[in-house]
Amino acid sequence: MPHTYSFFQSVERSFDKAAQFTKWEKGLLEQIKACNSIYAMRFPVKMDDGRIEVIEAYRVQHSQHKAPCKGGIRFSDEVNQDEVMALASLMTYKCAIVNVPFGGGKGGIKIDPKKYSTYELEKITRRYTSELVKKNFIGPGIDVPAPDYGTGEREMAWIVDTYASLKPGEIDAAGCVTGKPISQGGVHGRKEATGLGVFYGIREICSMPEIMEKLGLSTGLVGKTVVVQGLGNVGYHSARFFRQGGAKVVCIAEFEGAIYNSEGINEEALFQHRKATGSILNFPGATHLAKNSDALELECDILVPAALENVINKDNAPKVKAKIIAEAANGPLTPDADEILTSKGALIVPDMYLNAGGVTVSYFEWLKNLSHVRYGRMEKRFRENKNMHILAQIEELTGKTVSAEERLAIMRGADEIDLVHSGLEETMISATREIMEIWKKNPTIPDMRTAAYVNAINKVAISYMELGIFP
Ligand code: NAD
């Protein structure tokens, strides 16, 4: 693809490629593609040294076919309107694919957070929030931001506090943003959500005999070799769940290098080793690869790029040997790499669906905020009493008793974390099946990314029709 295409234009290109496989008229497709509302703002903030700085920021609502809009806020000096528009559109399609009833949105503040004090960052975040409130661009039923690159729980806590102060008495104020600390209305299980979603999605694909046969692989995850790039939030948790699911994580790459052990690497031990030594290198039992990028070219069943965008491009794609590329990061493959690897017969599991665990659990957090009750509070004790009763009956009828350990396991009712994980598992499994079903029904669809887009376009189009906008 020539470099003249912007990020938003390249999203539009993927959309157009998939739109050919749908029945919708051109006008409706144009409406789905368009970014509905774009708020570009400038506001002044007084810095610690007394200087006034004009801050450039954005919030884009790509689609309001479902309310509220949803998408993270990025703090980066690379932020620009085109990028925010592209990321907002991807959110619309991502939410549709995982059946999360939100429209797509995204926000960005053009700052390098490392260059500001905590107090300055707090002022910028709070001012940004009040600008959104003034223009009605935030609210539990309007538009609900979340963390993204450069932001986390701390910023979300500032946002909810600012919002609640400006909207006294708004009973659902906590639902104006997700990714909050637990003490501020956050939900358990959000931290690992993206990595766990990646695991659930790939496990489901590996259970499909016809897909595995085409790739020359056996079904199931047990024994599959996995390479993970990036030991950050998504990479660490993906590696953990793959190991626990019986796969062998043979290589992990980080900034400083890549390590290999054919017997598998324990990511938790490696994480502790990195914390203690400052590097993943010299990890007991593992050898070093010459360059960290060599990890991408290793012989393996599943490659999980979980670091940055564009890491697989036209130069290294021909050397990638993995059968399955699990796009845990956003945009790890350039369009050239995508074509090269697809033509080599690899299965590229697209980011737009595979890393949707974060937004899915954000949806659960928002539901928790609107219901004003922690998951499991109403039914946990009831379920435990019921289980105890059933167990007592079985013991009486059989004349046998279970061990104390088994008793605890059988009796236990679901906590918030159990319900969040189970909701995420259900979401990722059904999303995988839906995409594969579309692909199977229309074998002329060239790849899984296009099939995912077709699914998203169909769902958004149906919503527009149901709203009576295109009768
Ligand atoms: P993170 O900052 O926690 O982790 C990224 C890790 O990658 C860091 O440890 C970094 O040192 C490492 N890294 C950077 N360049 C590398 C390289 N060339 N080789 C090896 N390692 C390298 O970030 P994250 O939250 O895990 O996000 C990773 C990717 O996943 C991003 O593309 C992000 O947009 C995407 N994503 C994240 C979430 C989420 O919930 N956190 C959700 C959806 C998508």
Side-chain angles (χ1 to χ4, degrees), residues 378-393:
M378 302 302 284
E379 64 272 27
K380 181 178 159 81
R381 190 65 53 178
F382 174 81
R383 182 39 64 196
E384 289 186 351
N385 291 339
K386 200 86 182 154
N387 291 348
M388 201 158 67
H389 186 68
I390 295 169
L391 185 59
Q393 290 292 310

Side-chain angles (χ1 to χ4, degrees), residues 194 229-234 253-255 274 292 306-308 328-330 355:
T194 305
Q229 184 196 38
L231 194 63
N233 175 301
V234 179
E254 252 298 336
F255 259 131
R274 191 178 194 222
N292 66 352
L308 290 171
N330 275 314
N355 67 29

Side-chain angles (χ1 to χ4, degrees), residues 42-105:
R42 302 285 186 279
F43 52 80
V45 176
K46 198 168 195 173
M47 297 296 142
D48 293 347
D49 61 5
R51 246 179 340 107
I52 289 172
E53 194 172 313
V54 179
I55 304 290
E56 175 182 336
Y58 302 89
R59 184 72 192 174
V60 171
Q61 295 173 352
H62 171 256
S63 178
Q64 291 99 349
H65 71 287
K66 301 262 182 200
C69 294
K70 188 90 190 78
I73 295 178
R74 184 171 279 205
F75 283 9
S76 149
D77 50 10
E78 304 288 313
V79 161
N80 59 70
Q81 185 173 318
D82 182 87
E83 181 192 67
V84 185
M85 286 166 67
L87 292 165
S89 345
L90 287 174
M91 285 305 298
T92 294
Y93 310 133
K94 192 178 282 196
C95 289
I97 288 170
V98 289
N99 297 313
V100 163
F102 294 146

Side-chain angles (χ1 to χ4, degrees), residues 292-353:
N292 66 352
S293 55
D294 290 350
L296 301 169
E297 297 164 21
L298 271 186
E299 195 79 53
C300 67
D301 298 320
I302 304 165
L303 173 62
V304 186
L308 290 171
E309 54 271 20
N310 299 338
V311 293
I312 305 177
N313 46 50
K314 66 174 176 357
D315 300 327
N316 59 357
K319 292 180 254 167
V320 171
K321 297 174 197 71
K323 309 265 176 32
I324 298 174
I325 290 118
E327 290 192 331
N330 275 314
L333 270 62
T334 63
D336 288 334
D338 206 344
E339 271 172 32
I340 294 168
L341 287 165
T342 303
S343 67
K344 274 173 63 169
L347 176 70
I348 295 150
V349 187
D351 47 4
M352 207 170 60
Y353 126 85

